[in-house]
Amino acid sequence: MLLDCQDLSFEYAPIPDDISILIVNSNVKRGLVDSEYNLRREQCSEVASYFGHTSLRAVSMEALEAAEQQLAPDLFKRARHVLSENARTLAALEALKNNDLATMSVLMKASHASLRDDFEVTTKEMDGLVAIIEQAIGCKGGVRMTGGGFGGCIVALIPSHMTEQLSALVLAEYPKQYGITPSIYSCTASNGAFA
């Protein structure tokens, strides 16, 4: 579902029947209050204020790039992540509407890279999980971290027939690399509850 948090309008994104959603909990515990999560929010607000807005959504990428030299490097990177992620989200909706998993793969890869490099909210374990799955699925699906970051889960859109194979791969490789056993949840998209 694509949700517009300003006016609360939404649009459902179709997930093809032969695609599963694999959620892998890194089991790296996070404490959002104790982490830099609040700092990221403050940094984004600071950049929005620089442009005279209350939300980064009102700022264009062109305006941000033009102001790069006036902003602290961390502030610029945080804002670049938010603006590029907004654009990726809209592109992802179109890719799903067109059943274009190759584009979803590219978008999810770019999203994770931005979360890692510009927003700096991933962990080595989350990056490792993404790499394990990404190497196995190539352009047949996509994978990225999800949630507030600093631990927690990654999410992957994968061909349903690969669920068992990828689960086994993650259960074998992740503990070997990081000494942590992940929790894996295989899900399929379905209609929500309705009367």
Side-chain angles (χ1 to χ4, degrees):
M1 177 174 69
L2 177 72
L3 171 66
D4 185 322
C5 292
Q6 287 185 337
D7 64 15
L8 301 182
S9 62
F10 61 90
E11 184 174 350
Y12 289 112
I15 306 288
D17 290 338
D18 59 346
I19 295 298
S20 291
I21 302 165
L22 194 69
I23 300 167
V24 182
N25 188 339
S26 67
N27 284 322
V28 171
K29 302 301 178 208
R30 61 186 155 128
L32 292 181
V33 174
D34 301 327
S35 71
E36 293 194 14
Y37 179 80
N38 291 329
L39 176 60
R40 297 298 182 278
R41 185 168 166 72
E42 291 167 12
Q43 290 169 324
C44 290
S45 292
E46 189 175 337
V47 176
S49 294
Y50 172 85
F51 288 100
H53 300 293
T54 58
S55 169
L56 276 177
R57 186 161 161 194
V59 179
S60 71
M61 185 63 84
E62 294 77 20
L64 178 66
E65 289 171 348
E68 181 176 1
Q69 299 306 313
Q70 288 75 45
L71 295 169
D74 281 352
L75 294 180
F76 175 78
K77 286 181 4 179
R78 305 307 184 242
R80 179 172 61 189
H81 164 71
V82 170
L83 297 181
S84 63
E85 189 72 355
N86 285 347
R88 280 188 292 273
T89 300
L90 295 173
L93 176 65
E94 292 308 310
L96 287 171
K97 285 180 178 179
N98 294 315
N99 196 16
D100 183 355
L101 285 182
T103 296
M104 280 301 297
S105 178
V106 170
L107 291 169
M108 291 179 81
K109 183 174 186 162
S111 176
H112 187 80
S114 182
L115 286 159
R116 181 191 63 223
D117 302 335
D118 279 353
F119 220 53
E120 297 181 272
V121 295
T122 69
T123 64
K124 65 182 181 187
E125 296 86 358
M126 296 173 88
D127 294 340
L129 280 170
V130 166
I132 290 166
I133 294 173
E134 197 171 73
Q135 288 170 7
I137 62 174
C139 64
K140 297 176 188 163
V143 58
R144 66 182 287 271
M145 70 149 270
T146 188
F150 307 105
C153 298
I154 61 101
V155 62
L157 292 180
I158 61 168
S160 297
H161 72 272
M162 294 183 76
T163 301
E164 287 184 26
Q165 169 196 343
L166 290 171
S167 296
L169 178 66
V170 168
L171 286 170
E173 291 299 319
Y174 181 68
K176 192 187 309 179
Q177 293 178 31
Y178 300 100
I180 303 170
T181 301
S183 302
I184 301 176
Y185 309 92
S186 178
C187 311
T188 54
S190 62
N191 290 328
F194 59 92

